[in-house]
Amino acid sequence: MFRSVPRFWLVFDIVGSAVGLLLTLPLTFTFEAGTMSRWIPDGTASYLLVLLVAVILWGAAAISRLSPVLALGVAWFGAVVQMACGFSPGAYDLAILAVVFATSAWGSVRLLWIGGASALGGGLLAGIYMSLINEQALIQDAETGLRVALVAVLLGTVSVLTLVMAWGGSAGVRQGGDRAAVGLARGEQRDLGEHQDA
């Protein structure tokens, strides 16, 4: 479940996630001021819940290289809490891109495809969720249902493309790692053959 990660990269991931949290949380509070949640009134409770969701998501990003499978589970938990609280997508959701990237770059082959499925499913779910929580902002008439469906398709497509690009963007990292492993295995075989010949 946990990979062996050099200390430098572990510190880099933790510090990078802390910086990500410190940069994206104020942006989220600024852009969502007055409408943090669709059903929890703005106040101490909603601000603390936003902080909790942001910490969960950036915490998932912090451990994504160490344990991509655990990071994916934590990110899904954070996303479910975010939707349960009625929060709009915030800048802190950028942490999810790091987690999806990690599933493809450092996960097993099975996790690679689970991460891809999560990118597709999560993007579609995000599109539906965003269109439903913003339904009141749409013109309310006989065509509102169709309008919500079209917005869901549009937002879902954008979300899926964003997540799939993060997932697929790590192919070079994975391919480079696979090449290094193959090269190491060939070197060991060559050394073993030379040792036996001697």
Side-chain angles (χ1 to χ4, degrees):
M1 181 176 232
F2 291 97
R3 299 173 63 244
S4 177
V5 177
R7 184 175 304 229
F8 169 81
W9 288 112
L10 188 58
V11 171
F12 178 84
D13 291 344
I14 292 170
V15 171
S17 295
V19 170
L21 175 67
L22 292 174
L23 291 175
T24 59
L25 194 58
L27 286 173
T28 300
F29 284 133
T30 300
F31 290 122
E32 299 296 327
T35 56
M36 296 301 296
S37 170
R38 296 303 175 251
W39 43 80
I40 301 173
D42 273 5
T44 305
S46 65
Y47 294 135
L48 288 175
L49 286 169
V50 167
L51 175 63
L52 175 66
V53 170
V55 167
I56 290 171
L57 294 178
W58 281 109
I63 63 168
S64 61
R65 191 187 314 254
L66 181 65
S67 178
V69 67
L70 180 60
L72 185 62
V74 171
W76 267 106
F77 174 72
V80 168
V81 172
Q82 179 181 358
M83 290 184 284
C85 292
F87 296 139
S88 294
Y92 55 76
D93 285 311
L94 290 172
I96 295 172
L97 299 178
V99 173
V100 172
F101 179 92
T103 62
S104 178
W106 301 296
S108 65
V109 174
R110 178 181 294 169
L111 185 60
L112 164 76
W113 294 112
I114 291 172
S118 288
L120 288 172
L124 292 173
L125 181 62
I128 293 167
Y129 172 74
M130 286 187 284
S131 67
L132 290 176
I133 64 171
N134 292 310
E135 179 184 3
Q136 294 174 351
L138 299 173
I139 299 169
Q140 299 294 314
D141 58 16
E143 304 297 323
T144 298
L146 177 60
R147 199 172 287 113
V148 170
L150 291 174
V151 170
V153 168
L154 174 66
L155 294 175
T157 302
V158 171
S159 299
V160 166
L161 288 175
T162 303
L163 290 168
V164 167
M165 283 192 294
W167 175 75
S170 64
V173 173
R174 185 178 195 91
Q175 193 173 32
D178 291 346
R179 283 185 188 150
V182 168
L184 184 62
R186 286 182 181 160
E188 288 174 355
Q189 286 178 344
R190 186 179 60 243
D191 292 345
L192 181 62
E194 289 173 357
H195 179 69
Q196 287 175 345
D197 291 341

